[in-house]
Amino acid sequence: MSRIGKLSIAIPAGVTVDFANAVVTVKGGKGTLTREVKGNIDVKCEDGHVHVVALDDQKETNALHGLYRALIAAMVKGVSEGFTKSLEVKGVGWKAAMQGNKLVLNVGFSHPVEFMQPEGIKLECPSQTEIVVSGIDKVLVGQVAADLRAIRVPEPYHGYGIRYKGEHIEHKEGKTSGKGKK
């Protein structure tokens, strides 16, 4: 039995959780999220808490038990508080700027890279070297941040690239002169 799956999820004020026809719907102040629940998993809402229950002891059900508990907890947090990821642009002359619903990145290519803002995600540029990705869906926020980072992955020699805020990049030593070696 999953240790994570056994934990109950507290429902904050202003959030409702419904489970019908194998679909969990979470509504809150920031929006609505839905997710289909597969396998022998039941979701019960009682006394201001959500309980995820495994209906049998099979290995697959135990794995899904903890997974769905974590996903539902993220949904509850997302509709009440939301999620954000911050990225930094490091490089000489590199910058990011919003133009309408497009993020325009000048990151060392011969052309600017345009990134369309996906539905359900808000992109912001508080400064030319900072990008903030926010939204209510934790998975979508993380995927958009990873897609932005993949445009220019940080390189290990100078540290140029797009990185998560606070991410540490291991620096490599550059080439050394071969003089005196035979």
Side-chain angles (χ1 to χ4, degrees):
M1 188 172 219
S2 170
R3 288 187 221 176
I4 299 292
K6 285 192 251 182
L7 302 174
S8 65
I9 304 164
I11 302 173
V15 176
T16 60
V17 179
D18 296 319
F19 181 68
N21 301 326
V23 175
V24 174
T25 305
V26 181
K27 295 179 185 174
K30 293 194 177 257
T32 302
L33 292 173
T34 60
R35 180 170 300 278
E36 183 179 353
V37 177
K38 298 180 181 177
N40 288 332
I41 304 290
D42 189 23
V43 179
K44 297 180 182 176
C45 304
E46 48 196 32
D47 300 330
H49 286 75
V50 176
H51 300 280
V52 180
V53 180
L55 300 176
D56 61 29
D57 258 349
Q58 292 184 357
K59 188 176 182 180
E60 294 82 18
T61 304
N62 285 339
L64 292 174
H65 186 208
L67 170 73
Y68 282 121
R69 189 264 174 211
L71 291 173
I72 294 169
M75 291 167 66
V76 168
K77 183 178 177 189
V79 297
S80 60
E81 301 171 23
F83 294 98
T84 61
K85 286 235 180 209
S86 296
L87 297 121
E88 298 173 331
V89 179
K90 296 272 187 178
V92 177
W94 292 13
K95 60 185 176 179
M98 289 297 297
Q99 290 181 355
N101 64 346
K102 287 190 293 190
L103 176 67
V104 179
L105 299 166
N106 292 314
V107 288
F109 295 119
S110 62
H111 59 284
V113 177
E114 295 180 349
F115 187 86
M116 291 298 294
Q117 179 173 306
E119 190 175 324
I121 294 293
K122 184 177 180 188
L123 297 174
E124 299 174 6
C125 290
S127 68
Q128 289 186 342
T129 60
E130 190 175 354
I131 304 167
V132 178
V133 181
S134 58
I136 61 172
D137 189 354
K138 183 177 186 178
V139 175
L140 189 57
V141 168
Q143 185 60 54
V144 169
D147 291 344
L148 284 170
R149 185 181 183 274
I151 291 172
R152 198 65 182 221
V153 179
E155 54 94 16
Y157 294 100
H158 298 103
Y160 296 157
I162 301 172
R163 66 176 80 188
Y164 298 116
K165 190 169 194 140
E167 180 182 7
H168 176 71
I169 305 298
E170 288 289 328
H171 287 279
K172 291 184 178 179
E173 186 177 332
K175 288 184 178 179
T176 57
S177 174
K179 292 182 179 179
K181 293 184 182 178
K182 290 199 179 197

